[in-house]
Amino acid sequence: MDMGEPSSGSDCDPVLLNSFIVKKQRCRVYFHRGVLIWESEGAPYIRVKLPLKNVVGVEYEHPSELSAFTNEIICQGDSPEEYTSFTLHYVTQSKSSKLRLSQVTLTHADPRQVASWVKTIRNYIKELTYRPRCLLLFVNPYGGKKRGQKIYEKKVKPLLARAGIETKVVITQYRNHAHETILSHSFDGIDGVVCIGGDGTVAEVLNALVLRAAKEKGIDTDDPNVELPQPSVAVGVIPGGSTDTIAYSLHGTNDIQTAVLHVIIGESTGLDICSVHNESRLLRYYASMLSYGYLGDVCKSSEKFRWMGPKRYDYSGFRKILANRGYRSEITILSTDRNSPADGPRCYRNCDTCKVEESSIEEKPAADWKTVRGRFFMVNGVNISCACAKAPNGFSPYCHIGDGCLDVILIKHTSMINILRLLLRISSKSRTMFDLPFVEVHRAQEFTLQAMPDPQLELLDPDAPDARTSVWNCDGEVIEGTNIKIRVRRQLIRMFSQRMEEEEQEPSCLGCK
């Protein structure tokens, strides 16, 4: 992404050339048009190309080994004019979509040369206007294993400081604390909003940002057909919850350092958001998955076991499998012919399916309505793959994050053996659930679900023996409703992410691939 990079005019296009000591070798070093290149003057020959858009920061150094590689007398002091080395901290691509912070030190006998290079590099980075300079950062200290504050202090704060990013930190103390803060906080000088927490924390932040943007434009969000404005700031997701499916689906990993580096680099990608309405009003926006039936029952039941921590979901899930309820429903789907939800292609960095021109952001592919009736174990509206460490393929491996569509997965009520087959497929690294005979999937722009209370329902459920309808699990929050409409809002939110790579690669500079 080149948006926001310095222009190629003479004032912003400096050229530098000199010799430096790099990793105990004398190297010719070039800087031109945002790219730093160093190549050795002797054997063994090395050549490294580093785009400055991947540099996190630059700082002065005093290498003690300089005298071994030069015959000149070095005078080191405390002012920048007397430093003889500088270190670049930059992002490299590792395996499994992980980003790592690397560094290289360049040494020169003349402190004036070092000062000139440092100034030029810092000025170039400063002119990368898409990079955040000041972040509103929310930390959920209660999510997942309650590591939010430790993650911030140990892994997030040092990296942001190295990048020179100012942060306004809010430690959330109660449900909707982040939501209330976003609606009331001044955004003057704020370049992005970042949250450390699980999918519930991310959903709270996204909902508040969409509502704030709509309120500023005087838009009635209770109207399911209204077009929504894009919030003015991008959002960063740093995993700190139980599953972290949003972070995993965006970055290809739930690695914390990777998530922070995506924020620092500042490149963003558009993320679809789905609106959920009942007959009269907006209920919620969601980014990952809305589920009726089994997962809704699990979410509602698990609230009684919060003292168990993340294990409450496993416990409640097991109980609901034993209950094996099926719910009669009528689902009306506005299906689209854009790609197949069952066999690809997958969504990676520079995904052709998600690429759109700004003028065509609201264009929709050809679609037609269809209605499906039956008894379902689970009905899912999947907005992203919903991959996580426990389910590396996710619920819908070929779901795209910015194509204006969601995948509606209908899982018919079936036997206990088939349910176990389903769970094995969800946790598989190589197979999907879509070839199971009791599963069907539709790629859609919107859909509605009308729950049909079943007086004949006699299956035992110790938590709700008299329930004739289920509830919705919306990004980990329970929603009540028997007549729901879901609509996709294409790339409504910008997320700090360069996206995941298509294939695992050996560690290398991001600009060398």
Side-chain angles (χ1 to χ4, degrees), residues 90-104:
Y90 61 97
V91 178
T92 57
Q93 179 77 54
S94 184
K95 292 183 177 181
S96 303
S97 297
K98 292 182 180 179
L99 303 182
R100 287 292 174 257
L101 189 65
S102 299
Q103 65 181 45
V104 62

Side-chain angles (χ1 to χ4, degrees), residues 276-295:
V276 185
H277 288 78
N278 62 13
E279 301 95 324
S280 59
R281 65 182 181 88
L282 171 74
L283 297 180
R284 196 169 178 84
Y285 299 105
Y286 76 91
S288 59
M289 185 168 69
L290 179 77
S291 185
Y292 181 81
Y294 170 71
L295 287 180

